[in-house]
């Protein structure tokens, strides 16, 4: 047995362990390896609602583990998970729209998206709500630019992997990423909130 | 070169440029996601222990709801079920200006197939079916099959009694009966 299988630090090792019947250990390694990525994608697709994103992450990982046996390896595990996550999030949003149409459930599901400049720097710094500020910046970007930027910058995927996930050419992804970085940097440079936050954390 | 969390490599220049432009955004993002999924492994394992929901449960509930809806609609809207007599009366009041502004009620009776069949039989020319001393329009307005049947039975008895009393063929002419009518009521 190879070291990789023993430590389960690669997708191949996890899949091998799972197929060999070591499902418990494979599941644990699988969840630890991919949970952050799934949560990150879910958070973006669910209007940054953290509790919903956690529920979606749990649902995605369970579905993936139950379907791991049938995973054919035609794409990477991460691409497969990305597609499951987007589907689960779409279903959740559809369900919430339906429930809100019939006024069932909590009305506070959707987190308020406040314009970045409308947040008082003092208040926001006091609340340590920098991530909320970041979300509002990302919300100003077109969807493709935002998704490309997040997958590349936060999830640290290669252009080739992103291309496989979202079905866009590498050239187009590079252009989207370039424009996204430019806009975000511009926003950050001119933001009083960002300056105050940097000052408070330095 | 720098190796990222997923094993990809970025040029140091690119990294430096991004860090200069975007500050500690990435580190913050990683801190946040790290803390958010801290118990995810426990949650997933606990959920995996739960028995799976039956796949057809949702479908079964949907079908049951659909059937209940259909039954409700049939029971509520079917006049034969909701009203055994099958009568639905629409009353509208109109003002007749030509007759000294007196309010006049226009009563229309909407009949069912059962009622129409009964009325049709009552409107036929057979005196054995049609009650004596009643015009066709009166029979139609009666509309009530139970009452109609009671009246017919009473008239049949009276008719037989009278035929037996007269005992002559001429008397049949007086009664305006055909021989078929007589055959119908005589044993």
């Amino acid at each position: 047995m190879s070291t990789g299988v023993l430590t389960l630090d690669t997708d191949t090792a996890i899949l091998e362990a799972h197929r060999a019947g070591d499902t418990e250990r494979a599941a644990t390694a699988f969840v630890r390896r991919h949970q952050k990525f799934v949560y990150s994608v879910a958070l973006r697709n669910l209007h940054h609602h953290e509790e919903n994103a956690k529920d979606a992450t749990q649902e995605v990982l369970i579905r993936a583990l139950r379907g791991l046996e049938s995973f054919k390896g035609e794409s990477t595990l991460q691409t497969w998970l990305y597609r499951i996550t987007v589907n689960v999030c779409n279903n959740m949003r559809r369900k919430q729209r339906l429930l809100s149409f019939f006024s069932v459930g909590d009305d506070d599901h959707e987190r308020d998206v406040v314009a970045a400049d409308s947040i008082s720097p003092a208040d926001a710094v006091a609340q340590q709500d920098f991530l909320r500020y970041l979300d509002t910046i990302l919300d100003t970007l077109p969807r493709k630019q935002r998704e490309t930027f997040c997958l590349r910058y936060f999830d640290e995927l290669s252009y080739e992997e992103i291309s496989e996930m979202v079905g866009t050419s590498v050239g187009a992804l590079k252009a989207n990423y370039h424009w996204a970085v430019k806009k975000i940097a511009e926003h950050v440079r001119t933001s009083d909130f960002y300056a105050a936050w940097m000052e408070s954390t330095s | 070169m720098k190796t990222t969390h997923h094993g990809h490599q970025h040029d140091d220049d690119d990294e430096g440029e991004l860090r200069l432009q975007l500050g500690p955004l990435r580190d913050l993002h990683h801190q946040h996601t790290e803390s958010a999924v801290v118990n995810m492994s426990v949650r997933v394992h606990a959920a995996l222990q739960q028995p799976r929901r039956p796949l057809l449960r949702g479908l079964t509930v949907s079908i049951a709801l659909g059937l209940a809806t259909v039954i409700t609609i049939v029971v509520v809207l079917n006049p034969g079920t909701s009203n055994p007599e099958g009568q639905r009366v629409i009353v509208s009041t109109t003002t007749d200006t030509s007759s000294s502004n007196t309010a006049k009620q226009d009563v229309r009776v909407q009949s069912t197939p059962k009622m129409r069949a009964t009325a049709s039989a009552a409107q036929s020319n057979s005196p054995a079916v049609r009650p004596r001393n009643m015009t066709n329009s009166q029979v139609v307005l009666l509309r009530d099959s139970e009452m109609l049947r009671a009246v017919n039975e009473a008239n049949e008895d009276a008719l037989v009694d009278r035929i037996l009393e007269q005992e002559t063929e001429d008397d049949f002419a007086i009664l305006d009966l055909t021989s078929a009518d007589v055959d119908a009521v005589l044993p």
Side-chain angles (χ1 to χ4, degrees), chain A residues 80-97:
Chain A
W80 186 55
L81 281 170
Y82 179 81
R83 286 174 188 156
I84 297 175
T85 310
V86 170
N87 280 339
V88 166
C89 291
N90 286 343
N91 288 342
M92 280 183 80
R93 285 205 309 269
R94 208 173 296 133
K95 207 171 172 182
Q96 281 168 9
R97 271 202 300 271

Side-chain angles (χ1 to χ4, degrees), chain A residues 13 18 34 44 50 58 64 91 104 106-107 110 112 126 138 147 150 154 161 163 167 171 199 201:
Chain A
H18 191 269
H34 296 290
R44 288 199 296 275
E50 293 179 16
Q58 178 184 316
N91 288 342
V104 178
D106 189 3
D107 287 335
E110 298 279 326
D112 290 336
L138 293 175
E147 194 61 11
C150 291
F154 294 133
E161 283 174 316
S163 173
E199 202 173 301
T201 54

Side-chain angles (χ1 to χ4, degrees), chain A residues 14 18 23-31 58-70 80-81 84, chain B residues 41 44-45 48:
Chain A
I14 291 169
H18 191 269
T23 50
E24 190 82 12
R25 210 160 64 93
T28 305
F30 178 81
V31 170
Q58 178 184 316
E59 178 69 19
V60 170
L61 292 170
I62 289 168
R63 280 194 197 188
L65 282 168
R66 284 180 174 153
L68 210 55
E69 202 71 49
S70 58
W80 186 55
L81 281 170
I84 297 175
Chain B
S41 191
V44 170
H45 276 288
L48 282 171

Side-chain angles (χ1 to χ4, degrees), chain A residues 28 35-36 39-40 50 54-55 58 62 66 78 130-131 152-156 161 177 184 194 197, chain B residues 4-6 8 10 18 21-26 28-30 32 34 36-37 40 43 45 47 52:
Chain A
T28 305
Q35 58 188 2
K36 275 173 60 179
Y39 176 78
S40 177
E50 293 179 16
K54 283 178 190 174
D55 289 344
Q58 178 184 316
I62 289 168
R66 284 180 174 153
Q78 207 158 26
F130 182 82
L131 285 164
R152 175 78 178 149
Y153 185 71
F154 294 133
D155 301 324
E156 302 179 48
E161 283 174 316
Y177 184 69
I184 293 169
Y194 186 72
W197 184 85
Chain B
T4 66
H5 293 212
H6 289 276
H8 303 305
H10 291 279
L18 277 175
Q21 289 186 75
L22 303 179
L25 293 186
R26 181 186 289 155
L28 275 167
H29 177 80
H30 284 309
H32 170 69
E34 197 93 49
V37 297
M40 192 52 67
R43 281 179 66 163
H45 276 288
R52 294 183 75 169

Side-chain angles (χ1 to χ4, degrees), chain B residues 8-72:
Chain B
H8 303 305
Q9 291 184 328
H10 291 279
D11 288 335
D12 286 339
D13 288 348
D14 286 350
E15 278 300 307
E17 175 109 4
L18 277 175
R19 191 157 284 280
L20 194 68
Q21 289 186 75
L22 303 179
L25 293 186
R26 181 186 289 155
D27 294 337
L28 275 167
H29 177 80
H30 284 309
Q31 282 169 22
H32 170 69
T33 48
E34 197 93 49
S35 62
V37 297
V38 69
N39 289 322
M40 192 52 67
S41 191
V42 178
R43 281 179 66 163
V44 170
H45 276 288
L48 282 171
Q49 301 303 318
Q50 301 278 329
R52 294 183 75 169
R53 284 184 300 175
L55 287 173
L56 292 176
R57 197 174 73 177
L59 189 63
T60 310
V61 170
S62 304
I63 291 170
L65 283 173
L67 275 174
T69 309
V70 169
I71 289 167
T72 308

